[in-house]
Amino acid sequence: MLPAAEPNEKFFRLLLAVLDYLRTAAGNGAWRAVAYFSLWAGSSFRMAAGIARVFELRQPARRSRGGRSERAFFSRDRAGLICGHCRKTLGGSNRELSAGSRAIAAEMLRTPVAQLSGPAWNQATAADLRRFLVEQIESHVERRLITAPLLENP
């Protein structure tokens, strides 16, 4: 995600935080660590690359009706999230990013990985969030990540 031999203190600190969390989680934190790293790596990459559209999950592209938020969708060929109305208008194959996963991402954006709330994760926890993050990263590095399918299909 970074050019070869580029020093990047933010990535280094992110990697250290996630590795420290994995060490203290005693093997039970892999899925949380993968999602957290992907979220912050994707966010840092977009900011560092100067991409105009900010990677933002706390306020996804959505419409609000009567105070309730609509569902959010994503696809490989579009940056960010779209609402249900835009999904119908734009067509294409879109997958949903659940409200639960959006809440997890919002917490990750404001909380260190070691202090995240909730029970232990398994492979199904926030799987749609990981898929969204991988697709966003792949879109911007313009290649497929080799390890992503290995993680999802053990």
Side-chain angles (χ1 to χ4, degrees):
M1 293 188 346
L2 298 171
E6 176 172 325
N8 188 309
E9 186 179 342
K10 286 182 180 181
F11 260 74
F12 180 73
R13 285 186 284 141
L14 173 63
L15 187 57
L16 283 179
V18 170
L19 290 174
D20 187 49
Y21 168 73
L22 283 171
R23 186 176 44 80
T24 60
N28 296 323
W31 296 112
R32 188 176 300 198
V34 167
Y36 189 88
F37 182 83
S38 299
L39 176 69
W40 280 103
S43 178
S44 297
F45 176 74
R46 285 176 168 232
M47 302 283 186
I51 297 188
R53 185 175 233 177
V54 177
F55 185 68
E56 182 63 66
L57 286 176
R58 289 174 288 184
Q59 298 292 327
R62 64 182 179 211
R63 302 188 193 300
S64 179
R65 292 197 180 128
R68 65 179 174 86
S69 298
E70 280 197 40
R71 295 160 52 194
F73 299 89
F74 65 96
S75 72
R76 184 174 298 282
D77 60 342
R78 254 181 227 100
L81 299 171
I82 59 173
C83 67
H85 173 76
C86 294
R87 175 187 187 212
K88 291 175 188 169
T89 304
L90 297 171
S93 63
N94 299 295
R95 290 180 292 278
E96 184 170 5
L97 184 60
S98 68
S101 287
R102 292 193 322 253
I104 287 170
E107 181 183 9
M108 287 181 170
L109 287 170
R110 61 180 191 274
T111 307
V113 65
Q115 297 173 9
L116 292 172
S117 65
W121 286 26
N122 60 33
Q123 185 177 5
T125 307
D128 57 337
L129 175 61
R130 289 192 313 274
R131 186 176 306 113
F132 168 71
L133 295 169
V134 165
E135 287 186 11
Q136 295 297 296
I137 290 168
E138 287 177 340
S139 174
H140 288 284
V141 298
E142 297 179 345
R143 60 187 161 106
R144 300 281 181 153
L145 300 178
I146 296 169
T147 56
L150 297 175
L151 284 172
E152 299 303 324
N153 300 313

